[in-house]
């Protein structure tokens, strides 16, 4: 367990550092994937992972660099993906418990922060004129929209047993989400 927490802390600090924007994109994506997998496997092992990971990743979005914000958005998006899908864990019950706990403790915050950040990106898009920064803002907006979709397709009632099912036939949104939607 201490190894998971140490790796998680290293990955979060690395993704929070300016160095993450200078690395090859594939390296950063693999680090983000590792962070999401560790978060899922250690979700109940440490309260810092359960309660602190999303705020830590959200701090990256407050960076002054558009490229750095893109890294933060990709990390949050990958976390939602990892928590949504069933993985080959020890048992199905543990997988569902992690998924439902993530839904209760983090998904709403991710959705709400994404709404705020999308508004900020749209304002930036209206004010930016540089081609490089414009492309990063557009990429960031695309990831925000993908994250919205993944949040809305989340298995809120934990009934999707078929891993091959691409799209749920309906969305059951918690009552707390209704004002946001």
């Amino acid at each position: 367990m201490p190894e998971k927490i140490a790796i998680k802390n290293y990955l979060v600090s690395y993704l929070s550092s300016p160095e993450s924007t200078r690395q090859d994109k594939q390296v950063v994506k693999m680090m983000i994937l590792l962070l999401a997998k560790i978060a899922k496997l250690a979700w109940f092992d440490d309260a810092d992972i359960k309660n602190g990971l999303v705020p830590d990743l959200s701090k990256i979005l407050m960076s002054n660099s558009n490229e750095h914000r893109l890294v933060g958005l990709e990390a949050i998006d990958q976390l939602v993906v990892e928590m949504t899908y069933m993985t080959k864990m020890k048992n199905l019950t543990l997988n569902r418990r992690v998924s439902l706990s993530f839904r209760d403790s983090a998904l709403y915050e991710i959705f709400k922060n994404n709404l705020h950040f999308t508004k900020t990106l749209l304002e930036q898009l209206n004010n930016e004129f540089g081609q490089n920064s414009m492309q990063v803002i557009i990429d960031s907006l695309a990831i925000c929209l993908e994250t919205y979709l993944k949040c809305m397709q989340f298995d809120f009632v934990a009934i999707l047993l078929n891993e091959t099912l691409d799209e749920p036939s309906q969305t059951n949104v918690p009552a707390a989400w209704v004002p946001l939607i």
Side-chain angles (χ1 to χ4, degrees), residues 88-107:
K88 295 178 181 171
M89 293 178 75
K90 295 175 185 169
N91 61 33
L92 180 64
T93 305
L94 181 60
N95 210 338
R96 284 186 179 198
R97 282 184 48 219
V98 168
S99 181
L100 290 175
S101 176
F102 174 75
R103 175 202 67 193
D104 294 339
S105 63
L107 194 64

Side-chain angles (χ1 to χ4, degrees), residues 10 36 45 82 96-97 115 135-136 143 154 174 180:
Y10 171 76
D45 294 346
E82 187 64 35
R96 284 186 179 198
R97 282 184 48 219
L115 280 173
Q135 186 59 46
V136 173
I143 291 175
F154 193 85
L180 285 176

Side-chain angles (χ1 to χ4, degrees), residues 69-129:
R69 290 183 199 147
L70 185 60
V71 170
L73 286 170
E74 289 171 344
I76 290 171
D77 184 66
Q78 185 60 45
L79 183 64
V80 172
V81 168
E82 187 64 35
M83 294 297 188
T84 301
Y85 296 109
M86 297 292 174
T87 56
K88 295 178 181 171
M89 293 178 75
K90 295 175 185 169
N91 61 33
L92 180 64
T93 305
L94 181 60
N95 210 338
R96 284 186 179 198
R97 282 184 48 219
V98 168
S99 181
L100 290 175
S101 176
F102 174 75
R103 175 202 67 193
D104 294 339
S105 63
L107 194 64
Y108 180 72
E109 281 302 311
I110 289 172
F111 192 79
K112 190 169 73 171
N113 290 345
N114 217 14
L115 280 173
H116 172 72
F117 194 65
T118 301
K119 180 181 176 186
T120 304
L121 285 172
L122 288 173
E123 290 170 359
Q124 273 189 330
L125 192 61
N126 288 333
N127 297 332
E128 291 289 330
F129 298 109

Side-chain angles (χ1 to χ4, degrees), residues 11 15 23 39 46 58 77 110 121 129 142 162 167 171:
L11 291 172
L15 293 174
Q23 282 292 337
D46 184 53
S58 296
D77 184 66
I110 289 172
L121 285 172
F129 298 109
N162 185 355
E167 297 178 31
T171 300

